[in-house]
Amino acid sequence: MKRTYDTIVVGGGHAGVEASMIASKAGCRVAMISMDKQSIGRMSCNPAIGGVAKGQIVREIDILGGLMGQVSDEAGLQFKILNKSKGRSVWSPRAQIDKRVYEEKMSELVLGDDNIDFIKGEVVSLSIKNSSVVGVFLRSDELINSRTVVITCGTFLSGVIHIGDRKILAGRMGESPSVGLTEFLVSVGFKTMRLKTGTPPRALKSSIDWGRTEEDFGDARPTPFSLFTQKFTPKNEPCHTVRTNLAAHEIIEKNASLSPMYNGEIKGVGPRYCPSIEDKIKRFEHQSSHLLFLEPEWLNSDQIYINGFSTSLPEQTQVESLRQIPAFKKVEFLRPGYAIEYDCISPSQLKATLESKQISGL
């Protein structure tokens, strides 16, 4: 029996969740198709929502009926308005998030919605008739019909992870990439390009000398993300800060040619300004240190996100450099930093609504 929906959403990350839920609110029958039911709403990079420019986007999502702001208010560990010393136009809300709580709440909302069916599978091509999308084909060859298709593959579209000279086919560490959809889109006339982004190491909490760090709390009078949040008495869990030093910089400089994000091996461009530690040391060589934030990934997490140390250097170089910093003299990794390169659609082929110019309903 053929399955038919008003809307198919390909992917279950931030964009996939918002697209599915807002389509449901509009009365559509929705199929969310993703390779892993356990990863719905997963925060794949840093354990925070918002920040400069991004915080403004979350507020826009909120006022348009999206969920990110409301769920952040429920899952937050600390809340802070950045740039308060500057003009209001650059004030930026940011929340440190319990990733496990956020993912759990998002998953409950999606899977509990009567208008949304979750389908485990991998979309490899589209069904197109008379320049309109009419469905998707899964790797199993099943056709699922729909009037509209929303593609939200994120870093999974032909994703490749780089750690020094190591290359791993993945959408994020430990998860398979989406393969085949790019090739199909190219075959029907789309131009694609490569994007890149980086992520820092995750350190074992017990391997850090916390006495050599500084506590960093959120605002004493925190502001919620969502206009619709009624009761707001959030936690104010501390993050911690340390600074890099010249000894750490020397090791990074000496090995910078081994970083694919820095040496030109990765040709993709960054979707936003998020410099690697290699870039920071080169661009700001007059600075003897850079600030690092040690962020828990969930409440009482044993996994610490070293914000500010985004890198694609070999793992041993990452460890050696960080161990020059007093708080990290015995640091151990749960996961090294890495760069990821992935496909995207050149945006000139899209309308302002993000619908394809050449294929209606996509």
Side-chain angles (χ1 to χ4, degrees), residues 152-199:
T152 67
C153 292
T155 60
F156 281 75
L157 209 56
S158 304
V160 179
I161 283 174
H162 298 260
I163 308 170
D165 61 1
R166 287 175 60 201
K167 293 176 178 57
I168 305 164
L169 300 180
R172 56 181 163 234
M173 188 66 82
E175 298 182 52
S176 299
S178 172
V179 179
L181 188 53
T182 295
E183 291 77 4
F184 173 81
L185 293 171
V186 170
S187 76
V188 294
F190 282 99
K191 295 177 182 176
T192 62
M193 53 190 282
R194 296 289 271 176
L195 290 178
K196 67 176 180 182
T197 192
T199 188

Side-chain angles (χ1 to χ4, degrees), residues 254-311:
K254 180 181 175 182
N255 292 280
S257 62
L258 303 178
S259 167
M261 197 153 53
Y262 182 79
N263 66 17
E265 182 181 343
I266 296 177
K267 302 300 182 186
V269 296
R272 60 189 177 88
Y273 178 70
C274 187
S276 66
I277 190 66
E278 301 94 288
D279 277 333
K280 287 181 185 177
I281 288 169
K282 181 65 176 176
R283 290 187 190 187
F284 308 105
E285 55 188 356
H286 59 285
Q287 293 191 13
S288 60
S289 69
H290 295 281
L291 191 62
L292 305 178
F293 287 85
L294 312 186
E295 300 173 343
E297 299 223 320
W298 52 86
L299 186 63
N300 300 319
S301 171
D302 62 345
Q303 183 165 295
I304 303 298
Y305 182 94
I306 307 178
N307 196 344
F309 203 87
S310 174
T311 182

Side-chain angles (χ1 to χ4, degrees), residues 178-246:
S178 172
V179 179
L181 188 53
T182 295
E183 291 77 4
F184 173 81
L185 293 171
V186 170
S187 76
V188 294
F190 282 99
K191 295 177 182 176
T192 62
M193 53 190 282
R194 296 289 271 176
L195 290 178
K196 67 176 180 182
T197 192
T199 188
R202 273 68 161 180
L204 182 64
K205 181 178 182 179
S206 60
S207 71
I208 297 170
D209 184 347
W210 294 98
R212 292 177 174 269
T213 68
E214 297 289 334
E215 284 188 328
D216 184 70
F217 286 92
D219 291 340
R221 295 183 178 179
T223 305
F225 256 118
S226 176
L227 183 68
F228 307 103
T229 294
Q230 298 296 319
K231 296 180 180 179
F232 189 63
T233 54
K235 299 178 178 68
N236 192 0
E237 292 290 320
C239 294
H240 292 75
T241 63
V242 297
R243 299 198 72 94
T244 62
N245 54 34
L246 290 175

Side-chain angles (χ1 to χ4, degrees), residues 53-62:
K54 295 172 289 182
Q56 283 85 337
I57 290 172
V58 178
R59 288 274 172 83
E60 291 175 1
I61 291 170
D62 181 63

Side-chain angles (χ1 to χ4, degrees), residues 97-105 297-299 302:
I97 299 294
D98 185 318
K99 293 172 74 167
R100 288 179 169 173
V101 172
Y102 185 94
E103 182 178 330
E104 179 183 332
K105 289 183 179 296
E297 299 223 320
W298 52 86
L299 186 63
D302 62 345

